[in-house]
Amino acid sequence: MYSPFLFVFLPFAYGQLHTAAKNAGLLFFGTATDNPELTDSAYLAKLSDSTQFGQITPGNSMKWDAIEPGPGNFTFAAGDVIANLAKKNNQLIRCHNLVWHQQLPSWVTSTAWTPATLTAALQLHVTTEVTHYKGQCYSWDVVNEALNDNGTFRNDIFFSTLGEDYIKIAFDAAAAADPDAKLYYNDFNTEFPGAKSTAALNIVKALKAAGTKIDGVGFQSHFLVGSTPSIATQMKNMGTFTALGVEVAVTELDIRMPLPPTQANVAQQQTDYQTVTAGCLTLKGCIGVTVWDFDDAFSWVPSTFPGTGSACILDDNLNEKPAYFGALAGLTGTGPQPPQNGTNGTYSFGNNVTTATAKPTKATFVGEASGLVSNLIWPVMMVVVLAVL
Ligand code: XIL
C-alpha cells in the first residue's frame, strides 16, 4: 500500500534541473531541441518534462532559411511545432534567431543590395517573424554572432551593406513588433573577458545610447572540457553586462571532449557543468541556463567539431551522465550526486548511470537555502505520510 506514495514523492526528492533552478531563483533551466528529434518518443518524453526543462529553444526552425526561404515567402510550420509544444508543456521559449550570418537563404546572400533595399528586407523579415510569434516568446535572439573573435564586426552581408546600423535596425523592428519579448544579443567566445566580450559590451552601450531596446545578452557557452570559465570569471565577465542593466543567460551550453571519453574527462565535465550552473546562480541578473540539446545522440558537436563529442548531460540512450549531476549540483548544492571526483562507481562511458548518494561539497551560493528547503520538504513529507499510514 505504500508504493503509490513512494511513486508520487520520489521524483520530488530526487531533484530536477528546472525545479532546482526555479527554487534557486532562476527563471529556467532549458534545452534546445530540433524538429526531426521529436519523432523519437523517448526523447520527446524527456524534453516535455517541465520539471527538467522549463524552457525550450528551437535549434533551427526559427532561423531565416526556415522562416523566409524566398523573399516575402514565410513558412512558419516547423517553428510553430516547437512553439506549440512549449505551450502544451507549459515551457517558456527562447526564440532563436532573427539575424545571423549562417543559415541564410541564397537570395539574402546573393542579392545586390543597396542599403535601402536591405533595410527594407531586414525590417520585413524581423517584423513578420516577431509578429507571428508575438506573445509566445520569452525572448528573441535578435542578432546572433555579429562579432569576430578579435572584436571587430563580422563582415557578413548585413555589415558589408549597412555597417553596424543593421543591429539597431533589427532591434528596433523587433521591439515594435513585440514590445513584451526580451530582446537579446547572443554570441560565442564572449564567456571570458577580452576583446570580443568588450565588443559585445559596446554593442549594448551603443544600442542603449541610441535609445534602442535591448534587454539581454546570451553567452552561448560551447565549451571544451577543462576550458570553462571559473565562477569568479563568470561573475567578472557577465557582471560587466548586468552592470549596464541588461540580463544575461547561458544560452547554448555544451561541453565537448575528445573521443573516446576518458574517466578524467568525464569527471572534469561534471565539474565544468557544475561550475557553469553555479556561476549563473551566483550572478544576480543571470536568469537561466540552456543546454544545446540534452542528449548526445542529437548533439551538433560531433559533426561540427570532428573527433569530439559526448558534450551533453545525457548519453545516447538518455541516461544521466555525471555531467547531469554536475549541472544539478550547481543549482542545488544538495541531493543525490556522484562523489566529487566524478566517478560514481557505476558510470561506464555511455552506458547506464545510477544515482550515488555522496553529499555535496560545494560552497554555499545565493539561492541555495531555498533549494535546500524544497529538496528536503518532499522526503520529510514522505516520511510523515508513511508514518501516518
Ligand atoms: C546549430 C544547430 O544546432 C545545427 O543543427 C545547425 O546545423 C547549425 O546551427 N550557434 C548558434 C546556433 O547560435 O544556432 C547553432 O545551432 C550553434 C552555434
Side-chain angles (χ1 to χ4, degrees):
M1 75 183 279
Y2 297 156
S3 56
F5 288 96
L6 284 171
F7 182 76
V8 168
F9 286 118
L10 270 178
F12 293 97
Y14 181 76
Q16 280 82 16
L17 294 164
H18 176 64
T19 303
K22 288 285 280 187
N23 287 341
L26 299 183
L27 193 56
F28 58 76
F29 188 94
T31 182
T33 188
D34 203 3
N35 297 63
E37 303 163 15
L38 305 180
T39 56
D40 179 329
S41 57
Y43 171 88
L44 181 61
K46 292 264 181 190
L47 174 70
S48 299
D49 179 354
S50 62
T51 69
Q52 296 285 17
F53 306 113
Q55 180 269 124
I56 58 180
T57 303
N60 285 301
S61 54
M62 291 188 187
K63 292 173 177 173
W64 197 312
D65 58 353
I67 294 289
E68 194 187 1
N73 165 25
F74 288 87
T75 57
F76 294 108
D80 288 354
V81 168
I82 306 294
N84 292 336
L85 181 68
K87 208 175 302 167
K88 181 171 155 223
N89 294 339
N90 199 21
Q91 293 161 318
L92 299 171
I93 328 176
R94 293 195 77 261
C95 292
H96 174 87
N97 59 51
L98 295 167
V99 187
W100 187 30
H101 70 106
Q102 284 186 24
Q103 292 177 271
L104 286 172
S106 59
W107 70 269
V108 175
T109 49
S110 61
T111 298
W113 300 106
T114 65
T117 58
L118 185 57
T119 298
L122 186 55
Q123 287 173 331
L124 178 71
H125 178 77
V126 171
T127 303
T128 307
E129 182 164 6
V130 176
T131 301
H132 179 83
Y133 290 111
K134 185 175 179 186
Q136 300 182 63
C137 303
Y138 167 72
S139 60
W140 266 109
D141 288 332
V142 179
V143 174
N144 199 39
E145 303 181 358
L147 297 166
N148 296 311
D149 282 351
N150 67 5
T152 58
F153 283 100
R154 189 187 292 279
N155 197 25
D156 61 12
I157 189 71
F158 304 107
F159 184 78
S160 64
T161 310
L162 293 165
E164 61 189 278
D165 282 356
Y166 84 85
I167 298 176
K168 177 175 164 39
I169 292 165
F171 273 84
D172 284 342
D178 187 353
D180 294 332
K182 304 271 186 194
L183 304 184
Y184 270 65
Y185 177 72
N186 190 51
D187 213 333
F188 66 98
N189 286 353
T190 45
E191 299 87 358
F192 290 81
K196 193 169 187 180
S197 177
T198 301
L201 202 65
N202 288 339
I203 290 176
V204 177
K205 286 180 182 166
L207 290 176
K208 281 186 169 285
T212 290
K213 180 179 182 302
I214 175 166
D215 303 295
V217 174
F219 296 82
Q220 290 185 9
S221 306
H222 296 291
F223 292 130
L224 179 64
V225 71
S227 308
T228 55
S230 67
I231 291 177
T233 298
Q234 293 173 74
M235 297 288 284
K236 183 169 177 229
N237 187 54
M238 293 195 289
T240 60
F241 289 82
T242 56
L244 293 180
V246 290
E247 62 185 44
V248 298
V250 173
T251 52
E252 304 185 13
L253 178 63
D254 49 30
I255 305 178
R256 64 189 182 274
M257 64 181 70
L259 295 175
T262 62
Q263 186 159 310
N265 278 338
V266 168
Q268 183 63 48
Q269 186 188 50
Q270 176 189 354
T271 302
D272 292 345
Y273 267 101
Q274 180 166 349
T275 304
V276 175
T277 56
C280 183
L281 204 66
T282 309
L283 179 68
K284 190 171 180 312
C286 186
I287 59 124
V289 174
T290 304
V291 288
W292 203 244
D293 230 318
F294 58 89
D295 169 5
D296 282 335
F298 296 133
S299 172
W300 76 309
V301 165
S303 61
T304 311
F305 304 96
T308 71
S310 196
C312 299
I313 54 176
L314 268 58
D315 69 15
D316 287 340
N317 299 314
L318 295 168
N319 297 308
E320 291 90 354
K321 294 154 62 175
Y324 170 93
F325 294 100
L328 186 60
L331 296 169
T332 63
T334 61
Q337 300 171 82
Q340 292 299 300
N341 67 9
T343 55
N344 65 7
T346 57
Y347 185 71
S348 54
F349 305 149
N351 294 315
N352 289 340
V353 59
T354 55
T355 305
T357 52
K359 290 295 174 209
T361 56
K362 88 174 182 60
T364 300
F365 296 114
V366 176
E368 188 164 295
S370 61
L372 181 66
V373 169
S374 61
N375 272 282
L376 286 178
I377 196 159
W378 293 105
V380 168
M381 280 181 66
M382 188 168 70
V383 168
V384 169
V385 168
L386 293 178
V388 167
L389 290 172

PDB file of all heavy atoms in Angstrom, residues 86-105:
ATOM      1  N   ALA A  86       5.972  23.840 -26.695  1.00  0.00           N
ATOM      2  CA  ALA A  86       6.301  24.573 -25.471  1.00  0.00           C
ATOM      3  C   ALA A  86       5.028  24.978 -24.729  1.00  0.00           C
ATOM      4  O   ALA A  86       4.932  24.858 -23.505  1.00  0.00           O
ATOM      5  CB  ALA A  86       7.141  25.805 -25.806  1.00  0.00           C
ATOM      6  N   LYS A  87       4.058  25.439 -25.501  1.00  0.00           N
ATOM      7  CA  LYS A  87       2.791  25.858 -24.890  1.00  0.00           C
ATOM      8  C   LYS A  87       2.132  24.664 -24.191  1.00  0.00           C
ATOM      9  O   LYS A  87       1.696  24.751 -23.056  1.00  0.00           O
ATOM     10  CB  LYS A  87       1.866  26.402 -25.988  1.00  0.00           C
ATOM     11  CG  LYS A  87       0.873  27.428 -25.504  1.00  0.00           C
ATOM     12  CD  LYS A  87       0.055  28.030 -26.664  1.00  0.00           C
ATOM     13  CE  LYS A  87       0.929  28.682 -27.728  1.00  0.00           C
ATOM     14  NZ  LYS A  87       0.209  28.979 -28.970  1.00  0.00           N
ATOM     15  N   LYS A  88       2.075  23.543 -24.910  1.00  0.00           N
ATOM     16  CA  LYS A  88       1.451  22.337 -24.366  1.00  0.00           C
ATOM     17  C   LYS A  88       2.158  21.883 -23.089  1.00  0.00           C
ATOM     18  O   LYS A  88       1.526  21.439 -22.128  1.00  0.00           O
ATOM     19  CB  LYS A  88       1.530  21.237 -25.434  1.00  0.00           C
ATOM     20  CG  LYS A  88       0.905  19.933 -25.051  1.00  0.00           C
ATOM     21  CD  LYS A  88       0.851  18.998 -26.272  1.00  0.00           C
ATOM     22  CE  LYS A  88       0.827  17.555 -25.801  1.00  0.00           C
ATOM     23  NZ  LYS A  88       1.705  16.697 -26.571  1.00  0.00           N
ATOM     24  N   ASN A  89       3.473  22.006 -23.081  1.00  0.00           N
ATOM     25  CA  ASN A  89       4.264  21.540 -21.934  1.00  0.00           C
ATOM     26  C   ASN A  89       4.396  22.585 -20.839  1.00  0.00           C
ATOM     27  O   ASN A  89       5.069  22.350 -19.834  1.00  0.00           O
ATOM     28  CB  ASN A  89       5.676  21.156 -22.380  1.00  0.00           C
ATOM     29  CG  ASN A  89       5.680  19.957 -23.298  1.00  0.00           C
ATOM     30  OD1 ASN A  89       4.734  19.181 -23.312  1.00  0.00           O
ATOM     31  ND2 ASN A  89       6.770  19.809 -24.050  1.00  0.00           N
ATOM     32  N   ASN A  90       3.810  23.761 -21.055  1.00  0.00           N
ATOM     33  CA  ASN A  90       3.969  24.851 -20.096  1.00  0.00           C
ATOM     34  C   ASN A  90       5.437  25.246 -19.923  1.00  0.00           C
ATOM     35  O   ASN A  90       5.927  25.435 -18.818  1.00  0.00           O
ATOM     36  CB  ASN A  90       3.337  24.445 -18.754  1.00  0.00           C
ATOM     37  CG  ASN A  90       3.056  25.637 -17.876  1.00  0.00           C
ATOM     38  OD1 ASN A  90       2.961  26.765 -18.381  1.00  0.00           O
ATOM     39  ND2 ASN A  90       2.973  25.411 -16.579  1.00  0.00           N
ATOM     40  N   GLN A  91       6.136  25.349 -21.050  1.00  0.00           N
ATOM     41  CA  GLN A  91       7.547  25.746 -21.058  1.00  0.00           C
ATOM     42  C   GLN A  91       7.689  27.113 -21.736  1.00  0.00           C
ATOM     43  O   GLN A  91       6.926  27.434 -22.661  1.00  0.00           O
ATOM     44  CB  GLN A  91       8.384  24.708 -21.835  1.00  0.00           C
ATOM     45  CG  GLN A  91       8.449  23.337 -21.148  1.00  0.00           C
ATOM     46  CD  GLN A  91       8.870  22.222 -22.099  1.00  0.00           C
ATOM     47  OE1 GLN A  91       8.425  22.169 -23.251  1.00  0.00           O
ATOM     48  NE2 GLN A  91       9.708  21.314 -21.614  1.00  0.00           N
ATOM     49  N   LEU A  92       8.652  27.894 -21.293  1.00  0.00           N
ATOM     50  CA  LEU A  92       8.974  29.134 -21.993  1.00  0.00           C
ATOM     51  C   LEU A  92       9.661  28.786 -23.307  1.00  0.00           C
ATOM     52  O   LEU A  92      10.159  27.673 -23.483  1.00  0.00           O
ATOM     53  CB  LEU A  92       9.924  29.994 -21.144  1.00  0.00           C
ATOM     54  CG  LEU A  92       9.408  30.458 -19.774  1.00  0.00           C
ATOM     55  CD1 LEU A  92      10.557  31.098 -18.979  1.00  0.00           C
ATOM     56  CD2 LEU A  92       8.277  31.463 -19.951  1.00  0.00           C
ATOM     57  N   ILE A  93       9.713  29.766 -24.226  1.00  0.00           N
ATOM     58  CA  ILE A  93      10.554  29.595 -25.420  1.00  0.00           C
ATOM     59  C   ILE A  93      11.517  30.767 -25.512  1.00  0.00           C
ATOM     60  O   ILE A  93      11.114  31.924 -25.364  1.00  0.00           O
ATOM     61  CB  ILE A  93       9.797  29.623 -26.768  1.00  0.00           C
ATOM     62  CG1 ILE A  93       8.401  29.077 -26.658  1.00  0.00           C
ATOM     63  CG2 ILE A  93      10.592  28.913 -27.850  1.00  0.00           C
ATOM     64  CD1 ILE A  93       7.660  29.208 -27.991  1.00  0.00           C
ATOM     65  N   ARG A  94      12.789  30.437 -25.775  1.00  0.00           N
ATOM     66  CA  ARG A  94      13.738  31.456 -26.233  1.00  0.00           C
ATOM     67  C   ARG A  94      13.721  31.363 -27.762  1.00  0.00           C
ATOM     68  O   ARG A  94      14.227  30.394 -28.336  1.00  0.00           O
ATOM     69  CB  ARG A  94      15.167  31.181 -25.743  1.00  0.00           C
ATOM     70  CG  ARG A  94      15.370  31.295 -24.226  1.00  0.00           C
ATOM     71  CD  ARG A  94      16.864  31.379 -23.862  1.00  0.00           C
ATOM     72  NE  ARG A  94      17.385  32.706 -24.119  1.00  0.00           N
ATOM     73  CZ  ARG A  94      18.075  33.073 -25.202  1.00  0.00           C
ATOM     74  NH1 ARG A  94      18.373  32.222 -26.124  1.00  0.00           N
ATOM     75  NH2 ARG A  94      18.479  34.313 -25.342  1.00  0.00           N
ATOM     76  N   CYS A  95      13.123  32.321 -28.392  1.00  0.00           N
ATOM     77  CA  CYS A  95      13.020  32.261 -29.846  1.00  0.00           C
ATOM     78  C   CYS A  95      14.365  32.641 -30.471  1.00  0.00           C
ATOM     79  O   CYS A  95      15.011  33.592 -30.044  1.00  0.00           O
ATOM     80  CB  CYS A  95      11.882  33.170 -30.309  1.00  0.00           C
ATOM     81  SG  CYS A  95      10.265  32.516 -29.792  1.00  0.00           S
ATOM     82  N   HIS A  96      14.789  31.862 -31.472  1.00  0.00           N
ATOM     83  CA  HIS A  96      16.178  31.889 -31.947  1.00  0.00           C
ATOM     84  C   HIS A  96      16.205  31.613 -33.429  1.00  0.00           C
ATOM     85  O   HIS A  96      15.733  30.568 -33.814  1.00  0.00           O
ATOM     86  CB  HIS A  96      16.958  30.818 -31.162  1.00  0.00           C
ATOM     87  CG  HIS A  96      18.349  30.614 -31.616  1.00  0.00           C
ATOM     88  ND1 HIS A  96      19.402  31.364 -31.150  1.00  0.00           N
ATOM     89  CD2 HIS A  96      18.901  29.724 -32.478  1.00  0.00           C
ATOM     90  CE1 HIS A  96      20.530  30.937 -31.702  1.00  0.00           C
ATOM     91  NE2 HIS A  96      20.252  29.935 -32.514  1.00  0.00           N
ATOM     92  N   ASN A  97      16.736  32.403 -34.296  1.00  0.00           N
ATOM     93  CA  ASN A  97      17.180  33.769 -34.129  1.00  0.00           C
ATOM     94  C   ASN A  97      16.761  34.577 -35.336  1.00  0.00           C
ATOM     95  O   ASN A  97      16.379  34.000 -36.350  1.00  0.00           O
ATOM     96  CB  ASN A  97      18.719  33.814 -33.929  1.00  0.00           C
ATOM     97  CG  ASN A  97      19.472  33.188 -35.114  1.00  0.00           C
ATOM     98  OD1 ASN A  97      19.232  33.538 -36.268  1.00  0.00           O
ATOM     99  ND2 ASN A  97      20.375  32.277 -34.841  1.00  0.00           N
ATOM    100  N   LEU A  98      16.865  35.882 -35.276  1.00  0.00           N
ATOM    101  CA  LEU A  98      16.338  36.712 -36.366  1.00  0.00           C
ATOM    102  C   LEU A  98      17.386  37.084 -37.406  1.00  0.00           C
ATOM    103  O   LEU A  98      17.110  37.056 -38.607  1.00  0.00           O
ATOM    104  CB  LEU A  98      15.706  37.976 -35.773  1.00  0.00           C
ATOM    105  CG  LEU A  98      14.471  37.715 -34.901  1.00  0.00           C
ATOM    106  CD1 LEU A  98      14.087  38.960 -34.104  1.00  0.00           C
ATOM    107  CD2 LEU A  98      13.297  37.229 -35.750  1.00  0.00           C
ATOM    108  N   VAL A  99      18.574  37.452 -36.959  1.00  0.00           N
ATOM    109  CA  VAL A  99      19.616  37.900 -37.895  1.00  0.00           C
ATOM    110  C   VAL A  99      20.924  37.208 -37.558  1.00  0.00           C
ATOM    111  O   VAL A  99      21.442  37.354 -36.440  1.00  0.00           O
ATOM    112  CB  VAL A  99      19.811  39.444 -37.814  1.00  0.00           C
ATOM    113  CG1 VAL A  99      20.775  39.905 -38.906  1.00  0.00           C
ATOM    114  CG2 VAL A  99      18.482  40.172 -37.945  1.00  0.00           C
ATOM    115  N   TRP A 100      21.441  36.448 -38.507  1.00  0.00           N
ATOM    116  CA  TRP A 100      22.662  35.662 -38.291  1.00  0.00           C
ATOM    117  C   TRP A 100      23.335  35.481 -39.641  1.00  0.00           C
ATOM    118  O   TRP A 100      22.650  35.421 -40.664  1.00  0.00           O
ATOM    119  CB  TRP A 100      22.273  34.295 -37.686  1.00  0.00           C
ATOM    120  CG  TRP A 100      23.387  33.410 -37.247  1.00  0.00           C
ATOM    121  CD1 TRP A 100      24.615  33.807 -36.777  1.00  0.00           C
ATOM    122  CD2 TRP A 100      23.390  31.968 -37.209  1.00  0.00           C
ATOM    123  NE1 TRP A 100      25.353  32.696 -36.438  1.00  0.00           N
ATOM    124  CE2 TRP A 100      24.622  31.566 -36.697  1.00  0.00           C
ATOM    125  CE3 TRP A 100      22.445  30.993 -37.559  1.00  0.00           C
ATOM    126  CZ2 TRP A 100      24.967  30.221 -36.516  1.00  0.00           C
ATOM    127  CZ3 TRP A 100      22.770  29.661 -37.382  1.00  0.00           C
ATOM    128  CH2 TRP A 100      24.022  29.271 -36.859  1.00  0.00           C
ATOM    129  N   HIS A 101      24.638  35.345 -39.628  1.00  0.00           N
ATOM    130  CA  HIS A 101      25.349  35.204 -40.909  1.00  0.00           C
ATOM    131  C   HIS A 101      25.227  33.799 -41.484  1.00  0.00           C
ATOM    132  O   HIS A 101      25.536  33.587 -42.660  1.00  0.00           O
ATOM    133  CB  HIS A 101      26.828  35.573 -40.740  1.00  0.00           C
ATOM    134  CG  HIS A 101      27.623  34.595 -39.946  1.00  0.00           C
ATOM    135  ND1 HIS A 101      28.522  33.720 -40.515  1.00  0.00           N
ATOM    136  CD2 HIS A 101      27.637  34.326 -38.626  1.00  0.00           C
ATOM    137  CE1 HIS A 101      29.056  32.964 -39.580  1.00  0.00           C
ATOM    138  NE2 HIS A 101      28.539  33.326 -38.420  1.00  0.00           N
ATOM    139  N   GLN A 102      24.786  32.826 -40.656  1.00  0.00           N
ATOM    140  CA  GLN A 102      24.639  31.460 -41.158  1.00  0.00           C
ATOM    141  C   GLN A 102      23.176  31.119 -41.395  1.00  0.00           C
ATOM    142  O   GLN A 102      22.282  31.788 -40.906  1.00  0.00           O
ATOM    143  CB  GLN A 102      25.213  30.464 -40.158  1.00  0.00           C
ATOM    144  CG  GLN A 102      26.731  30.421 -40.172  1.00  0.00           C
ATOM    145  CD  GLN A 102      27.269  29.317 -39.270  1.00  0.00           C
ATOM    146  OE1 GLN A 102      26.594  28.342 -38.976  1.00  0.00           O
ATOM    147  NE2 GLN A 102      28.503  29.494 -38.827  1.00  0.00           N
ATOM    148  N   GLN A 103      22.976  30.014 -42.111  1.00  0.00           N
ATOM    149  CA  GLN A 103      21.629  29.529 -42.407  1.00  0.00           C
ATOM    150  C   GLN A 103      20.752  30.635 -42.996  1.00  0.00           C
ATOM    151  O   GLN A 103      19.575  30.780 -42.647  1.00  0.00           O
ATOM    152  CB  GLN A 103      21.026  28.851 -41.168  1.00  0.00           C
ATOM    153  CG  GLN A 103      21.784  27.543 -40.862  1.00  0.00           C
ATOM    154  CD  GLN A 103      21.313  26.834 -39.609  1.00  0.00           C
ATOM    155  OE1 GLN A 103      21.812  27.092 -38.513  1.00  0.00           O
ATOM    156  NE2 GLN A 103      20.355  25.939 -39.757  1.00  0.00           N
ATOM    157  N   LEU A 104      21.392  31.397 -43.875  1.00  0.00           N
ATOM    158  CA  LEU A 104      20.662  32.396 -44.664  1.00  0.00           C
ATOM    159  C   LEU A 104      20.341  31.776 -46.012  1.00  0.00           C
ATOM    160  O   LEU A 104      21.186  31.109 -46.602  1.00  0.00           O
ATOM    161  CB  LEU A 104      21.550  33.630 -44.891  1.00  0.00           C
ATOM    162  CG  LEU A 104      21.763  34.569 -43.707  1.00  0.00           C
ATOM    163  CD1 LEU A 104      22.825  35.610 -44.060  1.00  0.00           C
ATOM    164  CD2 LEU A 104      20.455  35.241 -43.303  1.00  0.00           C
ATOM    165  N   PRO A 105      19.139  32.010 -46.527  1.00  0.00           N
ATOM    166  CA  PRO A 105      18.861  31.520 -47.882  1.00  0.00           C
ATOM    167  C   PRO A 105      19.721  32.279 -48.888  1.00  0.00           C
ATOM    168  O   PRO A 105      20.143  33.417 -48.638  1.00  0.00           O
ATOM    169  CB  PRO A 105      17.368  31.829 -48.071  1.00  0.00           C
ATOM    170  CG  PRO A 105      16.979  32.750 -46.981  1.00  0.00           C
ATOM    171  CD  PRO A 105      18.016  32.712 -45.906  1.00  0.00           C
TER     172      PRO A 105
END
